[in-house]
């Protein structure tokens, strides 16, 4: 009886509002639509009541919640309400009576028990409902006293009435930074949009993305003039928002680019940021501009606007939406990474990263930071003598607040350096500018920034002296490096001064940097350390080459730090995934494990390891070298731990690793000697444990599968053995050999060869007493790797096949990657000094260069990898050299082809039925000698008009030669 009374009171009570405390942070809307066939947390209220998702009636979608079995007014459907103290919610729901029920009043009520008080019942909304239509119930709800047992429920004044409930939405209110903003112009007004300058805005029915109207923008006075929306007070500092708007060109405009930008002003000073860079809008199409934005500063003006990159053409805008993105809380039940490593663990950061969950993640896992951009020259001295330190100060203060070690990045670099620095500068002027800059920065942060990247990326291993031809070097030679270090040391003698570079794990760059540091140290330049950036990818390079680099520099008596670690999921500069396959993310976890195994083993030489960003959403690799989804870091876009995190924190939690290897057809002699066949491909690395590591390969033959293990293990013991397990059947070989096997000592350990049955699931385990290293994965058969020879002589480069060419064997392109017939070539190669010569005699009666794309013109491509590294993706000196029938040259390589772009010379000559290409390719990075193996392939592109209609290679059947060197054939120098 008492309960019934209470329920009745509740039904009659007006909405109850208490004085609002400062609104707390609220999450996104809670929506209950029952479309998944469950009750979505709603349960029966009262004995005998049942609630169930049903498709008998629905307001939106196909399902609703049906409430039956009621015998009292307060019976109904009830939800443990997710309301948060101090937050106002807009509550709405749709209700309809089950067929045949008489009209009734349905109410939404909240039951709650305040601490130390009596349970209360607060009505949120009520309305008269029939079985003929859905009725919307809507109201607001707020509570301000600590309370327990919060329930939101639906009740009816018809004690036995059955009803449907659908589309219940609990929307947190009250904080304007949480309110979505939308505009659709359907009401015929401009809905708070106003022109930035003199543009005219009007709601119009001439075009519409959704509904019947859009906003027409005409009469713009400049590319930046157009529609703007004042969002001051609507974006919380450090909060993330999704922004989206549809745009279309005005009638009669046939091309244009539109983008979404924001202008913010602090103390009157404006800054402009692009949320969506100007994007092509084809005539007559609606294009969506969508991006995210985080406001990271206090502002007194904030305006979102649509602009073009050039021109003042008219356009339409429609269906604008800005919504707060509620962050997922960071995990607090996982180990702090910094406690798991024997060195400082740092992260790069920029100002927005110091707020909210990003700031929490940084504080929890890292004890070092590097400002990602804020200390660079363009940020700190945009105009001569005009310094700007607000952002850098803020980040340094963040680091100090959290007891973090701070790295300063960077004092002298060729990138992100304003043009004025080099303008009109003779050597002395440039060095003076450098001196002022370095002295100002290092003095300002004296005693606070522990280590500086004094110079960044000054090495170019493709130059004879190993030095990058930057404006710094061109104007001042090595003296810019000497000056930067000297001045930095004078300004803060306690700061550790670093030379920082990328690709230091590649042997040629490693050696060039080594020689430079050695030289500078010998001169007495105060250089204390070497920074290895380590921008790696999922395949390259192996962790062992990182270890080789650290060991190499350990001999120089310098500190070392890993300064910018990330592991891209891409091996080339054009591919993109969305979503990124889970197996790559898992493989990346193993990559991080192997790298941190190396860092821990080398901890005596490493003072810190810094990742270039705390979570995937903030990585620079989402926009470099192209816009694409990337996931190179330890935490994902929601700041949750990835396998990469576990690879560092606790590798036992990693998913099992499944590796893949091709076993090309091939014959070897089982004698423990390394036949040339094995040298056609590199060994798949088996990572080091203790002092043991190994490499593995396989070949397919009629009788089974040849397997090879090259073991690095200097301590000889009777327990040393290699076990090959193929589809569950094991074969063990010792240093003395074994059944259908042979073994031989090598300078660093021993080599094992065996013939085992064919199979797919392969495990190779190398044991040394208690230590074991393994490779586990799938092996698949593949066609033989083709091998040809270059004869040792130099031709005259004139397009004529003089007799010298006859010394070389002839190969023929016959592997079709597009079409099944068309232009082909016979090819011969010569070499002399450090030059490779290639003669291609092409049969192609109809020649065309109509296409603007070089690969769609009749042409020959020569692929050369001086190290025969067979890497997925190009390394620095891998080249794709293309010569069109008329002699046009194009060269491809890594993203800027810097290491190979000047290597090609060629002469072409038309002959009856085709053309001849005679090419000379300089290979300055390799020492060519008889027996040297080069990665090599040739491709003929056959054009018809403006299209490529066929293409054929010598060896690579993948069609990916321009991205991936791993399937090129091999050229041996005679
Ligand atoms: C990157 C920043 O992370 C980006 O925000 C910026 O747009 C470009 O520079 N090597 C370096 C870093 O030394 O300074 C670069 O940082 C990444 C490559």
């Amino acid at each position: 009886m008492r309960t019934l009374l209470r329920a009745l009171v509740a039904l009659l009570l007006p909405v109850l509002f208490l004085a609002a405390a400062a609104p707390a942070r609220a999450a996104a809307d809670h929506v209950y639509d029952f479309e998944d066939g469950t009750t979505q947390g709603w349960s029966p209220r009262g004995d005998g009541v049942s609630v169930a998702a049903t498709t008998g009636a629905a307001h939106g979608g196909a399902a609703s919640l049906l409430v039956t079995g009621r015998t009292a007014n307060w019976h109904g459907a009830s939800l443990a309400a997710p309301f948060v103290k101090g937050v106002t919610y807009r509550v709405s729901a749709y209700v309809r009576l089950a067929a045949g029920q008489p009209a009734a009043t349905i109410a939404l009520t909240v039951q709650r028990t305040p601490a130390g008080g009596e349970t209360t019942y607060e009505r949120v909304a009520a309305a008269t409902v029939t079985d003929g239509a859905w009725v919307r119930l809507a109201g607001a709800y707020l509570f301000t006293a600590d309370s327990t047992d919060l329930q939101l429920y639906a009740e009816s004044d018809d004690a036995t009435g059955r009803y449907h409930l659908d589309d219940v939405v609990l929307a947190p209110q009250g904080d304007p930074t949480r309110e979505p903003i939308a505009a659709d112009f359907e009401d015929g007004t401009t809905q708070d949009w106003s022109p930035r300058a003199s543009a005219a805005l009007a709601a119009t029915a001439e075009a519409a993305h959704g509904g019947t109207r859009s906003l027409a923008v005409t009469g713009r006075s400049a590319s930046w003039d157009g529609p703007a929306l004042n969002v001051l007070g609507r974006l919380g500092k450090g909060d993330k928002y999704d922004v989206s708007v549809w745009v279309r060109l005005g009638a009669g405009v046939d091309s244009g680019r539109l983008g979404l930008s924001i202008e913010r002003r602090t103390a009157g000073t404006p800054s402009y940021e692009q949320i969506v860079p100007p994007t092509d809008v084809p005539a007559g199409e609606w294009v969506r501009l969508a991006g995210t934005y985080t406001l990271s500063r206090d502002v007194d003006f904030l305006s979102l606007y649509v602009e073009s990159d050039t021109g003042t053409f008219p356009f339409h805008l429609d269906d604008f939406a800005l919504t707060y993105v509620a962050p997922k809380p960071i995990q607090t039940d996982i180990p702090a990474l910094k406690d798991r490593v024997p060195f400082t663990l740092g992260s790069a950061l920029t100002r927005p990263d110091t707020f909210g969950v990003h700031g929490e993640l940084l504080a929890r896992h890292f004890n070092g930071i590097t400002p990602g951009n804020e200390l660079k020259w363009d940020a700190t001295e945009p105009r001569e003598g005009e310094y700007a330190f607000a952002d850098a100060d803020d980040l340094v203060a963040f680091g100090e607040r959290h007891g973090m070690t701070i790295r300063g990045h960077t004092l002298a670099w060729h990138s992100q350096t304003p043009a004025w620095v080099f303008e009109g500068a003779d050597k002395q002027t440039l060095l003076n500018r450098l001196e002022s800059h370095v002295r100002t920065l290092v003095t300002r942060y004296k005693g606070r920034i522990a280590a500086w990247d004094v110079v960044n990326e000054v090495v170019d291993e493709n130059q004879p002296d190993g030095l990058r031809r930057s404006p710094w070097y061109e104007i001042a030679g090595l003296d810019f490096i000497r000056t930067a270090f000297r001045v930095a040391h004078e300004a803060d003698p306690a700061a550790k001064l670093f030379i920082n570079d990328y690709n230091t794990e590649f042997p040629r760059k490693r050696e060039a940097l080594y020689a430079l540091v050695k030289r500078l140290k010998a001169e007495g330049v105060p250089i204390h350390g070497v920074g290895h950036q380590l921008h790696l990818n999922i395949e390259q390079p192996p962790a062992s080459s990182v270890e080789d680099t650290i060991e190499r520099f350990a001999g120089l008596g310098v500190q070392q730090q890993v300064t910018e670690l990330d592991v891209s999921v891409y091996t080339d500069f054009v591919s993109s995934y969305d979503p990124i396959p889970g197996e790559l993310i898992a493989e990346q976890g193993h990559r991080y494990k192997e790298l941190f195994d190396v860092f821990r083993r080398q901890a005596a030489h490493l003072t810190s390891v810094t990742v270039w960003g705390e979570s995937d959403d903030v990585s620079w690799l989402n926009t470099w070298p192209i816009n694409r989804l990337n996931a190179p870091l330890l935490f994902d876009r929601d700041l949750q731990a990835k396998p990469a995190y576990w690879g560092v924190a606790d590798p036992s939690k990693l998913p099992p690793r499944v590796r893949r290897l091709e076993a090309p057809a091939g014959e070897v002699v089982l004698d423990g000697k390394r036949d040339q066949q094995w040298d056609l491909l590199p060994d798949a690395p088996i990572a080091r444990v203790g002092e043991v590591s190994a490499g593995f390969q396989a070949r397919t033959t009629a009788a089974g599968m040849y397997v090879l293990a090259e073991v690095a293990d200097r301590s000889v013991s009777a327990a040393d053995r290699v076990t090959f397990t193929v589809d569950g059947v094991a074969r063990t070989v010792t240093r003395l050999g074994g059944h259908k096997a042979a073994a031989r000592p090598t300078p660093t350990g021993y080599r094992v060869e065996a013939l085992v049955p064919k199979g797919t699931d392969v495990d190779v385990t190398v044991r040394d007493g208690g230590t074991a290293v393994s490779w586990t994965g799938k092996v698949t058969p593949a066609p033989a790797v083709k091998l040809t020879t270059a004869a040792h002589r130099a031709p005259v480069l004139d397009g004529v096949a003089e007799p010298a060419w006859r010394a070389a064997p002839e190969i023929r392109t016959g592997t079709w990657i597009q079409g099944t017939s068309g232009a082909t070539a016979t090819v011969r190669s010569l070499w002399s000094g450090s030059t490779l010569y290639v003669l291609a005699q092409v049969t192609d009666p109809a020649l065309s260069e109509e296409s603007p794309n070089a690969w769609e013109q009749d042409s020959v491509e020569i692929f050369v990898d001086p190290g025969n590294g067979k890497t997925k993706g190009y390394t620095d000196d891998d080249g794709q050299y293309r010569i069109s029938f008329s002699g046009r040259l194009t060269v491809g390589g890594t993203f800027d082809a810097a290491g190979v772009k000047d290597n090609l010379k060629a002469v072409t000559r038309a002959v009856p039925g085709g053309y001849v290409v005679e090419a000379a390719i300089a290979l300055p990075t390799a020492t060519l000698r008889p027996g040297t193996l080069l990665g090599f392939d040739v491709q003929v592109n056959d054009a018809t008009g403006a299209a490529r209609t066929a293409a054929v290679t010598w060896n690579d059947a993948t069609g990916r030669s321009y991205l991936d060197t791993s399937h090129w054939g091999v050229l041996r120098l005679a």
Side-chain angles (χ1 to χ4, degrees):
M1 199 57 212
R2 226 175 96 96
T3 347
L4 223 160
L5 225 156
R6 269 202 200 155
L8 260 165
V9 170
L11 209 70
L12 302 172
L13 255 178
V15 182
L16 220 150
F17 279 116
L18 303 173
R25 283 283 164 98
D29 294 359
H30 301 272
V31 179
Y32 307 88
D33 60 7
F34 313 108
E35 291 302 320
D36 62 0
T38 76
T39 67
Q40 297 182 339
W42 290 78
S43 54
R45 178 178 169 93
D47 280 341
V49 178
S50 53
V51 301
T54 167
T55 50
H59 168 255
S64 66
L65 190 76
L66 176 62
V67 184
T68 54
R70 299 173 59 251
T71 51
N73 288 9
W74 56 273
H75 283 184
S78 161
L79 174 78
F83 297 134
V84 172
K85 185 178 89 168
V87 177
T88 301
Y89 291 81
R90 191 172 287 160
V91 177
S92 63
Y94 287 84
V95 207
R96 179 178 183 157
L97 301 186
Q101 298 288 305
T105 300
I106 307 271
L108 289 175
T109 307
V110 174
Q111 171 187 320
R112 145 178 93 80
T113 307
E118 279 246 276
T119 297
T120 65
Y121 301 86
E122 295 153 322
R123 176 185 281 190
V124 179
T128 303
V129 183
T130 68
D131 66 351
W134 287 94
V135 173
R136 182 164 188 261
L137 303 187
Y141 182 73
L142 164 76
F143 76 98
T144 53
D146 284 327
S147 301
T148 54
D149 192 26
L150 264 101
Q151 290 178 39
L152 171 71
Y153 63 98
E155 54 186 345
S156 168
D157 64 356
D158 173 359
T160 59
R162 301 188 302 277
Y163 58 85
H164 294 271
L165 188 66
D166 203 359
D167 293 337
V168 184
V169 178
L170 315 181
Q173 307 287 299
D175 181 347
T177 67
R178 297 295 179 272
E179 298 264 339
I181 307 177
D184 60 9
F185 312 105
E186 293 301 313
D187 64 0
T189 76
T190 61
Q191 296 183 340
D192 297 346
W193 289 77
S194 52
R196 293 199 82 214
S198 56
L201 307 186
T204 171
E206 280 157 30
H209 172 256
T212 56
R213 289 196 179 85
S214 67
L215 186 73
V217 183
T218 53
R220 296 161 65 226
S221 60
S223 63
W224 49 264
D225 188 10
L229 184 69
N230 175 9
V231 290
L232 186 64
R234 302 300 301 270
L235 306 187
K237 194 160 94 171
D239 295 335
K240 187 162 141 187
Y241 296 85
D242 281 336
V243 193
S244 158
V245 67
W246 291 83
V247 290
R248 178 185 163 129
L249 300 180
V253 182
D254 42 51
S255 70
R257 293 159 72 79
L258 291 167
L260 188 61
S261 301
I262 199 159
E263 177 182 351
R264 57 178 167 80
R265 294 186 204 151
T266 304
T269 308
S271 305
Y272 306 90
E273 292 170 274
Q274 287 186 341
I275 301 173
V276 183
T279 305
D280 269 324
V281 183
E285 281 178 32
W286 283 100
V287 169
R288 184 171 184 224
L289 306 177
T292 60
Y293 183 71
T294 299
L295 176 67
S296 57
R297 289 158 180 81
D298 292 317
V299 288
D300 40 40
F301 177 95
L302 197 60
S303 173
L304 255 166
Y305 59 99
V306 175
E307 62 179 335
S308 53
D309 56 349
T310 57
T312 58
F313 54 84
F315 62 87
H316 292 268
L317 174 159
D318 204 1
D319 293 337
F320 171 85
L322 177 143
T323 37
Y324 168 70
V325 184
K328 238 192 189 174
I330 68 161
Q331 293 151 295
T332 50
D333 54 351
I334 55 173
L337 284 177
K338 62 188 176 193
D339 300 338
R340 294 272 161 158
V341 294
F343 34 71
T344 300
L345 187 70
S347 172
L349 84 178
T350 62
R351 222 172 147 175
D353 303 336
T354 60
F355 298 105
V357 285
H358 287 91
E360 290 170 28
L361 191 75
L362 283 164
R364 185 176 168 84
H365 292 286
F366 299 93
N367 50 10
I369 51 165
T370 306
N373 287 313
E374 291 73 359
L375 285 164
K376 290 173 182 172
W377 201 308
D378 58 352
T380 50
E381 195 186 1
R383 282 161 296 276
E384 184 154 22
E386 257 181 56
Y387 288 94
F389 290 116
D391 290 346
D393 286 354
D394 184 78
L395 294 179
V396 170
F398 174 86
E400 288 177 335
R401 260 197 322 277
H402 293 99
M404 294 161 159
T405 306
I406 303 165
R407 300 194 82 257
H409 175 84
T410 172
L411 297 172
W413 191 21
H414 58 276
S415 188
Q416 292 180 270
T417 301
W420 70 260
V421 176
F422 307 111
E423 248 156 39
D426 59 14
K427 179 169 175 176
Q428 199 48 52
T429 312
L430 184 64
L431 294 181
N432 291 346
R433 287 173 181 168
L434 177 65
E435 170 148 11
S436 309
H437 183 83
V438 171
R439 199 176 296 285
T440 304
L441 267 70
V442 178
T443 304
R444 182 179 189 90
Y445 298 108
K446 182 176 180 189
R448 303 171 70 195
I449 288 188
W452 279 99
D453 290 329
V454 176
V455 296
N456 195 30
E457 305 181 350
V458 301
V459 172
D460 179 352
E461 70 278 30
N462 297 312
Q463 300 296 339
D465 62 358
L467 292 165
R468 178 190 288 270
R469 298 309 188 242
S470 68
W472 287 112
Y473 175 88
E474 300 282 5
I475 300 171
L478 260 191
D479 280 339
F480 88 88
I481 301 179
R482 298 184 179 108
T483 302
F485 276 96
R486 172 181 57 79
V487 177
H489 189 56
E490 286 166 12
D492 185 355
K496 296 291 176 227
L497 304 183
F498 281 76
I499 181 169
N500 192 47
D501 220 318
Y502 62 94
N503 280 1
T504 63
E505 62 281 7
F506 290 99
R508 290 189 307 113
K509 182 109 179 214
R510 175 198 299 152
E511 291 312 313
L513 176 63
Y514 183 92
L516 176 63
V517 174
K518 192 169 172 180
R519 169 169 177 195
L520 294 171
K521 276 189 58 103
E523 286 179 14
V525 174
I527 175 168
H528 309 124
V530 172
H532 308 292
Q533 292 188 2
L534 295 195
H535 294 293
L536 313 181
N537 74 45
I538 193 76
E539 298 274 352
Q540 295 297 328
S544 61
S545 59
V546 174
E547 188 151 28
D548 291 345
T549 290
I550 298 172
E551 285 180 337
R552 177 75 168 135
F553 282 93
L556 262 188
V558 283
Q559 271 196 35
Q560 296 183 67
Q561 300 191 341
V562 172
T563 56
E564 305 183 14
L565 176 63
D566 47 25
V567 179
S568 171
V569 300
Y570 301 104
T571 55
D572 62 53
F573 298 87
V574 301
S575 303
S576 75
Y577 300 113
D578 190 1
I580 296 167
E583 68 185 59
L584 280 186
I585 299 295
E587 172 62 17
Q588 184 188 52
H590 292 277
R591 272 291 262 160
Y592 268 103
K593 175 203 176 283
E594 284 186 359
L595 290 164
F596 274 77
D597 283 347
V598 169
F599 302 153
R600 288 188 174 98
R601 213 155 36 223
Q602 299 294 336
H605 307 303
L606 278 182
T607 43
S608 87
V609 173
T610 296
V611 287
W612 203 243
E614 70 280 8
S615 50
D616 288 340
D617 56 327
V618 302
S619 168
W620 72 302
L621 294 177
N622 291 299
T623 53
W624 192 91
I626 57 169
N627 284 322
R628 60 183 171 187
L629 195 63
N630 209 332
L633 297 166
L634 302 172
F635 294 92
D636 69 15
R637 307 184 97 75
D638 286 326
L639 282 57
Q640 308 298 298
K642 294 165 61 185
Y645 164 92
W646 292 110
V648 180
D650 182 358
S652 73
K653 298 222 160 56
L654 283 173
R657 188 178 203 178
V658 181
R659 312 182 73 178
R660 283 171 207 286
L661 186 75
E662 287 182 355
E667 295 302 326
V668 291
V669 183
L670 272 192
D671 56 2
K673 287 189 195 148
R674 191 172 169 105
D675 295 14
Q676 178 171 272
Q677 175 62 231
W678 293 125
D679 285 333
L680 301 184
L681 298 179
D683 299 342
I686 306 181
R688 175 173 151 188
V689 174
E691 293 303 321
V692 183
S693 63
F696 164 58
Q697 283 202 63
R699 291 290 182 277
T700 306
T701 178
M705 185 161 69
Y706 290 111
V707 286
L708 165 82
E710 291 277 359
V711 181
D713 174 4
R714 288 172 192 275
S715 64
V716 179
S717 115
D720 293 343
R721 63 194 59 240
V722 180
T723 305
F724 301 97
T725 309
V726 181
D727 291 342
V729 180
R731 169 87 51 81
T732 294
V733 187
T734 69
R735 285 193 190 243
L736 302 173
H739 174 61
K740 287 197 184 167
R744 235 173 227 264
T746 59
T748 54
Y750 60 102
R751 174 183 307 116
V752 161
E753 288 177 310
L755 179 64
V756 298
K758 284 182 202 171
T760 307
D761 290 314
V762 174
D763 178 275
V764 183
T765 296
V766 178
R767 287 198 178 73
D768 166 37
T771 306
V773 298
S774 340
W775 186 102
T776 308
K778 308 249 177 226
V779 175
T780 43
V785 180
K786 289 190 182 126
L787 172 67
T788 186
T789 308
H792 192 189
R793 37 190 95 167
V796 182
L797 207 65
D798 54 4
V800 176
E802 73 254 40
W805 283 104
R806 266 181 247 136
E810 186 177 85
I811 55 171
R812 184 178 288 275
T813 60
T815 306
W816 292 95
I817 57 167
Q818 181 185 355
T820 49
S821 68
T824 58
T826 56
V827 178
R828 294 176 197 259
S829 315
L830 300 175
W831 70 283
S832 171
S834 62
T835 304
L836 176 70
Y837 300 92
V838 178
L839 177 78
Q841 296 179 287
V842 185
T843 308
D844 186 351
L847 299 177
S848 167
E849 276 177 348
E850 264 176 54
S851 171
N853 298 324
W855 67 91
E856 293 179 322
Q857 302 171 353
D858 279 305
S859 54
V860 170
E861 299 183 19
I862 303 163
F863 298 89
V864 185
D865 168 4
N868 192 32
K870 294 280 182 281
T871 49
K872 299 216 161 111
Y874 281 51
T875 52
D876 242 27
D877 59 351
D878 298 335
Q880 173 195 22
Y881 304 96
R882 186 187 300 104
I883 306 108
S884 79
F885 70 89
S886 75
R888 296 189 201 187
L889 309 184
T890 39
V891 177
T894 52
F895 75 104
D896 56 3
V900 293
K901 64 179 176 0
D902 301 324
N903 290 359
L904 175 65
K905 283 196 185 66
V907 176
T908 58
R909 196 167 58 88
V911 296
Y915 61 100
V916 176
V917 170
E918 192 172 19
I921 299 170
L923 302 175
T925 63
T927 315
L928 303 188
R929 54 170 83 90
T932 298
L933 301 183
L934 308 177
F936 180 76
D937 219 314
V938 179
Q939 176 176 326
V940 180
N941 298 316
D942 192 0
T944 309
R948 190 175 80 176
T949 44
V952 65
T953 68
W954 171 53
N955 188 72
D956 189 346
T958 66
R960 289 172 46 84
S961 304
Y962 68 110
L963 297 175
D964 180 339
T965 77
S966 66
H967 290 90
W968 299 354
V970 178
L971 178 68
R972 180 175 182 280
L973 305 188

